[in-house]
């Protein structure tokens, strides 16, 4: 019996006393912009069914009290892109919903300062079954979004 207790105690010491969450609920987003950008979407991450593209951004970093991780690292903790993207967009405001099947455009809430420089997230939901995501800077224009993403040509 002493060996079992000793083994369990050792296991707790090695693995830690509690489960560390992947990301605390109270986190902020830091974006690093790309120089000389022409609003071209570039591949960032895919789960095989849904793809995330960055527009005019080099990287997206999530920062909480335990440290920071890239958005890509955050995705790697899940089987699908949808779950972390739902969590990522939940503090954002829905600015518009398009009549292409339900594409949503999210923007940073200026009162809560969720991101360092503002952000735009496009969650595609087109009649053609495009369910990809596009993440870009706050200054993406609605007219450009309607004409340029969710099924349009992107850089690979």
């Amino acid at each position: 019996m002493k060996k079992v207790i000793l083994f369990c105690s050792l296991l707790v010491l090695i693995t830690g006393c509690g489960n560390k969450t992947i990301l605390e609920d109270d986190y902020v987003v830091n974006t690093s912009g790309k120089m000389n950008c022409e609003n071209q979407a570039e591949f960032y991450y895919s789960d095989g069914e849904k793809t995330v593209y960055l527009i005019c951004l080099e990287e997206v970093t999530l920062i909480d009290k335990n440290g920071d991780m890239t958005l890509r690292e955050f995705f790697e903790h899940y089987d699908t892109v949808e779950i972390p993207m739902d969590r990522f967009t939940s503090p954002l405001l829905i600015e518009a919903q398009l009549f292409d099947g339900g594409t949503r455009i999210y923007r940073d809430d200026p009162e809560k300062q969720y991101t360092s420089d503002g952000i735009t997230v496009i969650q595609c939901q087109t009649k053609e079954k495009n369910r990809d995501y596009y993440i870009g800077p706050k200054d993406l224009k609605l007219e450009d979004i309607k004409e340029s993403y969710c099924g349009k040509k992107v850089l690979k």
Side-chain angles (χ1 to χ4, degrees), residues 3-14:
K3 288 181 182 180
V4 171
I5 293 172
L6 181 61
F7 176 74
C8 290
S9 299
L10 184 60
L11 188 61
V12 167
L13 287 173
I14 291 171

Side-chain angles (χ1 to χ4, degrees), residues 55 85 88-109 119-126 132-150:
I55 305 165
M85 282 305 296
F88 184 74
T89 58
S90 65
L92 300 175
L93 301 174
I94 297 175
E95 178 185 86
Q97 188 161 340
L98 307 182
F99 294 106
D100 63 350
T103 295
R104 291 184 178 167
I105 300 164
Y106 297 87
R107 302 270 190 185
D108 197 7
D109 183 345
I119 198 165
T120 301
V121 177
I122 305 161
Q123 180 183 3
C124 300
Q125 187 166 329
T126 67
D132 294 336
Y133 296 87
Y134 294 80
I135 303 171
K138 66 180 176 185
D139 57 357
L140 285 178
K141 293 177 177 51
L142 190 56
E143 301 79 37
D144 293 337
I145 291 170
K146 289 179 183 178
E147 296 174 10
S148 302
Y149 308 109
C150 295

Side-chain angles (χ1 to χ4, degrees), residues 19-27 62-69 87:
N19 291 335
K20 181 190 177 296
T21 59
I22 295 170
L23 187 67
E24 296 291 325
D25 287 335
D26 187 24
Y27 67 94
L62 312 173
I63 305 164
D64 70 3
K65 67 181 180 184
N66 297 315
D68 63 305
M69 71 174 68
R87 189 163 173 209

Side-chain angles (χ1 to χ4, degrees), residues 7-117:
F7 176 74
C8 290
S9 299
L10 184 60
L11 188 61
V12 167
L13 287 173
I14 291 171
T15 61
C17 295
N19 291 335
K20 181 190 177 296
T21 59
I22 295 170
L23 187 67
E24 296 291 325
D25 287 335
D26 187 24
Y27 67 94
V28 294
V29 176
N30 185 30
T31 58
S32 53
K34 184 180 265 192
M35 299 298 290
N36 302 322
C37 179
E38 297 179 11
N39 289 342
Q40 290 292 323
E42 294 186 25
F43 175 84
Y44 183 72
Y45 187 85
S46 179
D47 66 9
E49 292 184 26
K50 296 178 183 180
T51 302
V52 177
Y53 299 94
L54 295 184
I55 305 165
C56 299
L57 296 176
E58 289 288 336
E59 188 60 77
V60 178
T61 306
L62 312 173
I63 305 164
D64 70 3
K65 67 181 180 184
N66 297 315
D68 63 305
M69 71 174 68
T70 65
L71 186 58
R72 181 179 282 115
E73 292 168 333
F74 185 48
F75 288 145
E76 291 170 355
H77 290 280
Y78 296 91
D79 294 330
T80 68
V81 165
E82 188 171 12
I83 295 168
M85 282 305 296
D86 284 350
R87 189 163 173 209
F88 184 74
T89 58
S90 65
L92 300 175
L93 301 174
I94 297 175
E95 178 185 86
Q97 188 161 340
L98 307 182
F99 294 106
D100 63 350
T103 295
R104 291 184 178 167
I105 300 164
Y106 297 87
R107 302 270 190 185
D108 197 7
D109 183 345
E111 293 179 16
K112 307 230 183 206
Q113 295 183 350
Y114 171 63
T115 65
S116 58
D117 296 320

